[in-house]
Amino acid sequence: AQSVTQLDSHVSVSEGTPVLLRCNYSSSYSPSLFWYVQHPNKGLQLLLKYTSAATLVKGINGFEAEFKKSETSFHLTKPSAHMSDAAEYFCVVTLVNYGGSQGNLIFGKGTKLSVKP
Amino acid sequence: DAGVTQSPTHLIKTRGQHVTLRCSPISGHKSVSWYQQVLGQGPQFIFQYYEKEERGRGNFPDRFSARQFPNYSSELNVNALLLGDSALYLCASSPGWQGEKLFFGSGTQLSVL
């Protein structure tokens, strides 16, 4: 069965410092992995996705994530945090089979990112 | 272009009642998925419909049901509401049935008293 574990429920950084949100995955098959962001009172927005094309994935707003199969990790990073990055971040996995990725996403419990001025 | 729209935005019900939540996908999208997000948790998959047929079902009781209409809009129905059904219900649409291009609505906040 597929699952993701987000290692930190809350991360606090200062504006201008690096961001690291950690995620480990478990999957018996080739996974598709995503990071979504949820701002208060707004819908979930896709930050980036990994679908086996390249291990280092670049997303929107300066975020990127690296797929490490040996460590079963897919950590999200950003070199310099901005106040507008404060939000809840979800690591997500879905199955990939011969027909492509499945329609049901499996979310982690989320990491709340706080950015201090 | 309009995104995924959900109605109502907020809803208060009492235990034992029935509720219907509605979702309009992005124009041209044929798949609609429903997720439940309990406070402090990640969203949990309930249903996926594609071309008006159920494509997937999560681990939810039979009190939860859904359908998709010819215009690809969708309804989620929950019968015999329990306090534990209080959550944010999210709808997502995608062009096809695969999960790589999901667009989420802002959700319906359901409170069961």
Side-chain angles (χ1 to χ4, degrees):
Chain A
Q2 308 77 245
S3 67
V4 287
T5 301
Q6 293 184 241
L7 301 174
D8 307 291
S9 59
H10 191 194
V11 170
S12 181
V13 300
S14 297
E15 191 175 21
T17 64
V19 176
L20 171 63
L21 305 183
R22 299 182 294 164
C23 172
N24 287 347
Y25 72 90
S26 173
S27 178
S28 303
Y29 305 95
S30 299
S32 280
L33 292 161
F34 311 79
W35 277 96
Y36 277 83
V37 60
Q38 188 175 38
H39 288 93
N41 301 318
K42 290 190 176 181
L44 288 155
Q45 182 183 18
L46 178 65
L47 273 179
L48 51 81
K49 62 180 180 181
Y50 164 78
T51 54
S52 77
T55 56
L56 183 61
V57 183
K58 293 188 183 298
I60 62 172
N61 300 334
F63 285 95
E64 63 181 37
E66 185 172 7
F67 175 75
K68 292 187 176 181
K69 187 175 181 179
S70 60
E71 299 177 8
T72 61
S73 68
F74 190 59
H75 301 336
L76 181 70
T77 60
K78 183 174 180 178
S80 176
H82 191 272
M83 294 297 290
S84 61
D85 295 328
E88 186 102 25
Y89 291 79
F90 293 96
C91 182
V92 180
V93 66
T94 188
L95 264 187
V96 177
N97 55 31
Y98 67 93
S101 63
Q102 292 187 352
N104 53 315
L105 303 182
I106 299 166
F107 285 77
K109 293 186 176 182
T111 298
K112 184 176 182 179
L113 176 64
S114 299
V115 182
K116 297 175 290 186
Chain B
D1 288 340
V4 177
T5 57
Q6 293 186 243
S7 63
T9 55
H10 295 82
L11 202 53
I12 299 175
K13 292 285 189 179
T14 57
R15 281 180 297 173
Q17 285 188 313
H18 162 271
V19 69
T20 297
L21 310 181
R22 295 179 174 82
C23 172
S24 293
I26 291 172
S27 177
H29 286 192
K30 297 181 179 180
S31 174
V32 170
S33 301
W34 288 95
Y35 288 79
Q36 180 196 63
Q37 185 177 16
V38 173
L39 189 64
Q41 300 291 321
Q44 189 172 359
F45 173 72
I46 310 176
F47 287 110
Q48 183 192 17
Y49 276 77
Y50 176 70
E51 289 279 20
K52 301 181 287 296
E53 292 188 1
E54 183 180 302
R55 193 70 189 231
R57 172 186 285 254
N59 187 25
F60 279 81
D62 291 343
R63 298 185 296 108
F64 288 76
S65 63
R67 56 179 175 168
Q68 187 176 32
F69 299 99
N71 66 353
Y72 302 112
S73 66
S74 177
E75 284 182 354
L76 175 70
N77 295 284
V78 186
N79 292 324
L81 284 167
L82 303 174
L83 296 179
D85 295 330
S86 295
L88 179 67
Y89 289 85
L90 296 165
C91 172
S93 76
S94 58
W97 66 272
Q98 295 175 356
E100 296 184 7
K101 293 184 179 180
L102 284 187
F103 295 83
F104 283 85
S106 297
T108 294
Q109 184 65 55
L110 172 66
S111 298
V112 182
L113 305 179

